[in-house]
Amino acid sequence: MKIAVVGGGPAGLYFSLLMKKADPSHDVTIFERNAPDATFGWGVVFSEETLGALRDADRASFDRITEAWARWSAIDVKYRGETIRSRGHVFSGIARKRLLQILQERCVEFGVRLEFHHEVEDVDALAREHDLVVGADGVNSLARRRRESTFGVEELVHATKFAWFGTDLAFKAFTFIFRENEHGLFQVHAYPFDARMSTFIVECPVEVWRRAGLDQATEDESIRYCEKLFADDLAGHSLLSNRSIWVSFVTLRNQTWHDGNVALLGDAAHTAHFTIGSGTKLAMEDAISLAEWLQRWPDDPQGALTYYEMDRQPIVERFQEAALESARYFENVRRYSRLEPIQFAFNLLTRSGRITHLELEKRDPRFIAMVDSWFAGKPEGSIAPPPMLVPLRLRDVTLPNRVVRWPVSEDDAVDGVPSEGLAERLADAARSGAALVLTEMVAVAPAGRITPGTPGLWREDQAESWRGMVDRIHSETDARVAVLLGHAGPRGACRPRREGVDRPLREGGWEIVAPSPIAYAPWSRVPKRLDAAGMDAILQGFRHATELSDQAGFDMVELQMGHGYLLGSFLSPLTNPEEDRLGFLLEVTRVVRQAWPRGRPVGAALNGADWAGGGATEDDAVGLAQSLGQAGCDLIHVLAGQTICFDRPDYGRMAVVALSDSVRNRAGLPTLVGGDIRTLDHSNTIVAAARSDCTVLLPPQ
Ligand SMILES: Cc1cc2nc3c(=O)[nH]c(=O)nc-3n(C[C@H](O)[C@H](O)[C@H](O)COP(=O)(O)OP(=O)(O)OC[C@H]3O[C@@H](n4cnc5c(N)ncnc54)[C@H](O)[C@@H]3O)c2cc1C
């Protein structure tokens, strides 16, 4: 094949040498606009997982790279004057210049033609003259820009600014530094890349960068500013610039990575935020895959390009997801300023969701022992339970651990009286060892039921029936029992959910109400707009149901304010066009708080986000949680979606946990979160990292 490679970065060089190595008859030319020894940035870090693929693809370059490695196994988190060290990680770093040199040497050994100082300006011309053009020309790729719509480019510009400096100080660990001055909070990601030098990336929010005047500063002025701010950490060493200008990171995705005989490789095809240090690794693994598929399918380059894309895209997407999680952490790090250094460090280390409590325990049992004893309030060095087994106190109620079970509804109540089946489901959940068992939604009025089988609390006989269940759980287990009080609003008068969700009753329905006449789904009934009298009646319903909940012996009341039921539909702009969307929710909370014993907690389940364009957002949830806290609410149960029928759920790992993290740490209230939490390890990680105070654990599948 006659191949033109645009860009002599790690992707272009590695691909070219692998192609020539596999078949010397290929004619491969790399066009690189810069000189051989000119590059941006300083050192790059690799995690140990990378090594196998590189070793198998080309042993000689692997050996030369690993001979030049700086290796270390610790991560230091410097925060509020303390340094917290966690060991047992495996990192290797190399100067970017050295890496490129090694790859260039290998290219020369295999006979790749290297044309430096050659800026490609017309990719189409190259495509006409070659069998294959590989766009390995980095994040601003010309090969991609010439046909953005074909590639289906998506770009996310991150909200922080960073500058990639070097320093003549070799750090002993991967070091995260957080320093605050009069302009705001700055963070550093520093790691050694040879015996003398380290990479030193300084990052801060755009507003902080502007306040500090860094938007107007020259490279020298920026260096002086950062040297002063991080003087203690640099211990007399200098910062060095290599075209180290302030930029915003761009996460880039392309729907497809090839068009005709032009293929994208490395940063030209995708980027992953630098805080997980994977861009070079991904670029080099792309090169391995593309070279392999082209070798396997020599007669069908188009087929090879398709297989290359199918092979690499899912892997890259997983890294991008973890990188976004990590980037979000650094963008929002201010919200963790209330955390103690040890919890701050644990939160940082588990930020991307890939490293858990258990994984850290395997890597560094001493570090996890420190986290656990701190979390349990025990002296360092003593034996402490894992975080999820540490009790949680809410007013006078102590939950013996952090696990909550929330059995699913079977719609099997009769006239609001809970069934034997429901009693068994709750008792089963309590026997599992959970600290808190939460009922399905219990209607405060007959017209507030979701289906005819929704249990209720508007009559004494219903309270008696609940009393029996609650007493039984209290006598047989240590679990506490919470009742989820709600009103179905626009999602009411439906068939039992085993016959399909949100399907209106064919007959025997009742009038449904909402803040405005907006139907939940096209096939739903249109609700009647609630007037003042209607709202007052519902308010009294909540008061009465709270009194009955007390009679029934529940330990906690939780109000259903999410998932598009009545109170949730007040909050969302999609279902309530009024200006004041919080007023009624706060009134209900105050009424319930008054009717409920002072020593027992009130919780509220609310949507951390509607997952629908124009719907309630994370910021709305934080605002509501703050107001609910002032109205006497003690725990926020974070849900998401289901405000309208056609929402777009985020199925990403930890999507709801991220919302809980935001509500908890911004509003300053304890949270409960569910989602796809199935393991004790997951639960320990979430709780110890202050992303939530307790978790709804799903039974194993
Ligand atoms: C601050 C920061 C820190 C990072 N840290 C790490 C890390 O620790 N570990 C890690 O693995 N990754 C890291 N990365 C990511 C890593 O730098 C990239 O993912 C990697 O360089 C991608 O390699 P590439 O070959 O695809 O692109 P590049 O390295 O960008 O190479 C593209 C090449 O194409 C050339 N070029 C562009 N246009 C043309 C043209 N028209 N004609 C000719 N030549 C052209 C450029 O000069 C350049 O040499 C970091 C990135 C940043 C921004």
Side-chain angles (χ1 to χ4, degrees), residues 173-464:
F174 198 125
T175 306
F176 293 103
I177 308 167
F178 297 85
R179 292 248 170 227
E180 190 154 18
N181 67 6
E182 67 279 19
H183 302 128
L185 182 65
F186 289 79
Q187 61 246 12
V188 163
H189 315 249
Y191 46 88
F193 60 82
D194 64 25
R196 292 182 312 107
M197 303 279 295
S198 297
T199 278
F200 197 93
I201 302 169
V202 182
E203 189 190 17
C204 64
V206 176
E207 347 40 285
V208 174
W209 173 72
R210 285 217 183 87
R211 271 202 297 277
L214 292 166
D215 54 337
Q216 308 288 333
T218 62
E219 260 176 77
D220 277 353
E221 286 164 344
S222 291
I223 285 195
R224 278 200 297 280
Y225 183 94
C226 294
E227 279 180 346
K228 185 167 166 225
L229 180 59
F230 296 105
D232 284 353
D233 311 292
L234 288 166
H237 292 266
S238 320
L239 287 185
L240 307 164
S241 178
N242 178 14
R243 291 186 282 162
S244 305
I245 46 168
W246 295 97
V247 284
S248 293
F249 194 87
V250 179
T251 293
L252 175 96
R253 291 193 174 98
N254 283 282
Q255 271 161 22
T256 177
W257 296 357
H258 69 278
D259 168 33
N261 65 343
V262 177
L264 302 180
L265 201 63
D267 271 16
H270 51 77
T271 58
H273 196 264
F274 63 83
T275 51
I276 64 161
S278 294
T280 310
K281 161 199 160 80
L282 291 175
M284 292 175 76
E285 286 175 353
D286 281 358
I288 296 173
S289 168
L290 180 57
E292 258 178 30
W293 284 109
L294 287 167
Q295 284 312 122
R296 260 197 235 180
W297 294 60
D299 302 327
D300 181 7
Q302 281 301 315
L305 296 187
T306 304
Y307 272 95
Y308 151 66
E309 194 174 303
M310 278 166 44
D311 180 22
R312 291 296 297 157
Q313 265 190 347
I315 297 168
V316 166
E317 277 170 19
R318 274 208 305 280
F319 271 90
Q320 285 186 312
E321 201 189 308
L324 279 176
E325 209 60 68
S326 172
R328 206 173 299 145
Y329 167 85
F330 286 102
E331 282 160 17
N332 296 310
V333 70
R334 259 212 88 74
R335 73 168 63 142
Y336 304 114
S337 57
R338 277 183 277 219
L339 303 187
E340 290 295 315
I342 182 75
Q343 191 171 36
F344 184 90
F346 181 83
N347 178 300
L348 188 159
L349 294 170
T350 55
R351 68 191 181 280
S352 72
R354 289 187 306 163
I355 297 182
T356 62
H357 183 271
L358 186 63
E359 182 57 34
L360 282 173
E361 188 169 31
K362 281 191 228 153
R363 295 183 188 194
D364 187 354
R366 265 187 31 211
F367 173 73
I368 284 302
M370 258 167 66
V371 171
D372 289 358
S373 50
W374 174 84
F375 194 85
K378 294 191 179 281
E380 208 180 311
S382 57
I383 294 182
M388 53 156 283
L389 294 185
V390 173
L392 174 69
R393 197 181 157 94
L394 298 166
R395 298 205 178 216
D396 295 345
V397 173
T398 300
L399 305 184
N401 60 57
R402 307 305 181 101
V403 177
V404 177
R405 295 293 296 276
W406 190 16
V408 291
S409 163
E410 299 281 348
D411 289 321
D412 51 3
V414 177
D415 195 17
V417 177
S419 67
E420 260 310 300
L422 199 164
E424 208 35 58
R425 293 194 293 276
L426 287 181
D428 256 3
R431 283 192 287 262
S432 73
L436 183 72
V437 175
L438 178 61
T439 67
E440 61 193 82
M441 196 183 95
V442 173
V444 299
R449 288 173 299 164
I450 303 167
T451 75
T454 300
L457 256 177
W458 61 86
R459 284 193 323 260
E460 298 280 334
D461 62 316
Q462 293 163 336
E464 260 166 51

Side-chain angles (χ1 to χ4, degrees), residues 7 9-11 32-34 45 96 120 137 162 164 191 267 279-280:
E32 166 57 51
R33 65 180 167 203
N34 288 326
V45 58
R96 195 178 137 95
V120 171
D137 45 350
F162 72 88
W164 193 349
Y191 46 88
D267 271 16
T280 310

Side-chain angles (χ1 to χ4, degrees), residues 44-242:
V44 289
V45 58
F46 287 84
S47 68
E48 194 75 345
E49 305 148 44
T50 321
L51 303 182
L54 300 192
R55 185 192 52 224
D56 298 346
D58 180 45
R59 182 77 203 209
S61 59
F62 170 80
D63 286 344
R64 285 179 218 176
I65 291 169
T66 49
E67 273 160 29
W69 281 147
R71 286 167 160 261
W72 69 97
S73 64
I75 298 179
D76 280 350
V77 180
K78 297 178 113 195
Y79 169 72
R80 276 207 228 148
E82 276 189 45
T83 301
I84 308 279
R85 174 162 291 189
S86 131
R87 295 181 176 79
H89 313 276
V90 185
F91 293 110
S92 315
I94 185 169
R96 195 178 137 95
K97 264 187 195 165
R98 181 70 194 117
L99 173 68
L100 295 182
Q101 228 172 37
I102 293 168
L103 299 179
Q104 285 166 12
E105 283 162 19
R106 286 298 277 162
C107 281
V108 171
E109 284 163 28
F110 285 119
V112 174
R113 208 172 302 118
L114 287 157
E115 294 212 9
F116 291 102
H117 306 288
H118 185 136
E119 172 134 16
V120 171
E121 280 165 7
D122 187 350
V123 175
D124 291 323
L126 277 187
R128 282 192 297 276
E129 292 155 13
H130 293 80
D131 299 316
L132 176 69
V133 174
V134 175
D137 45 350
V139 62
N140 296 316
S141 166
L142 177 73
R144 186 190 68 239
R145 266 186 290 128
R146 88 194 213 290
R147 274 205 212 133
E148 298 222 312
S149 56
T150 312
F151 287 114
V153 182
E154 279 174 43
E155 286 179 326
L156 169 73
V157 181
H158 288 263
T160 56
K161 289 279 176 187
F162 72 88
W164 193 349
F165 297 114
T167 173
D168 52 355
L169 164 67
F171 282 93
K172 299 267 181 297
F174 198 125
T175 306
F176 293 103
I177 308 167
F178 297 85
R179 292 248 170 227
E180 190 154 18
N181 67 6
E182 67 279 19
H183 302 128
L185 182 65
F186 289 79
Q187 61 246 12
V188 163
H189 315 249
Y191 46 88
F193 60 82
D194 64 25
R196 292 182 312 107
M197 303 279 295
S198 297
T199 278
F200 197 93
I201 302 169
V202 182
E203 189 190 17
C204 64
V206 176
E207 347 40 285
V208 174
W209 173 72
R210 285 217 183 87
R211 271 202 297 277
L214 292 166
D215 54 337
Q216 308 288 333
T218 62
E219 260 176 77
D220 277 353
E221 286 164 344
S222 291
I223 285 195
R224 278 200 297 280
Y225 183 94
C226 294
E227 279 180 346
K228 185 167 166 225
L229 180 59
F230 296 105
D232 284 353
D233 311 292
L234 288 166
H237 292 266
S238 320
L239 287 185
L240 307 164
S241 178
N242 178 14

